[in-house]
Amino acid sequence: EKQALTLMPDHQAVEGEAEPAKEVYSGAWKLNLKHGIGRQNYVGLGDYYGNWENGEKEGEGVMIYVNQDIYSGKWKNGKKDG
């Protein structure tokens, strides 16, 4: 069981259960697939911002990893291409 401390506005710490981390996408969709410009958070990996095509990273995009490494460049079929 995961516990989290939440700092309330009056600066009191309150114990509670931590919600599991979620992967979140915000951006354009086409036919129920990520398509166009969007941002995707990957739990434990990092954040991608860039172009999507048919649900895959495609074209120009930037991946910022949790260790702060950055890949900025081309993607093809969801993989780095360059």
Side-chain angles (χ1 to χ4, degrees):
E1 180 179 303
K2 294 182 180 178
Q3 290 290 319
L5 291 178
T6 303
L7 193 60
M8 302 304 288
D10 60 2
H11 304 290
Q12 291 180 345
V14 177
E15 283 191 38
E17 287 189 33
E19 289 188 27
K22 296 179 183 172
E23 294 189 346
V24 177
Y25 171 76
S26 59
W29 296 86
K30 182 179 177 184
L31 300 175
N32 218 22
L33 294 172
K34 299 169 194 170
H35 196 91
I37 300 295
R39 180 184 305 266
Q40 172 76 53
N41 162 264
Y42 296 96
V43 174
L45 184 62
D47 297 300
Y48 171 81
Y49 178 77
N51 200 56
W52 297 82
E53 204 170 288
N54 299 316
E56 299 285 347
K57 294 184 280 294
E58 185 76 25
E60 293 294 321
V62 177
M63 183 74 186
I64 302 173
Y65 296 91
V66 293
N67 68 1
Q68 300 306 306
D69 283 352
I70 298 172
Y71 172 77
S72 178
K74 296 207 179 278
W75 297 77
K76 187 167 181 71
N77 298 319
K79 298 186 191 293
K80 297 177 201 172
D81 185 43

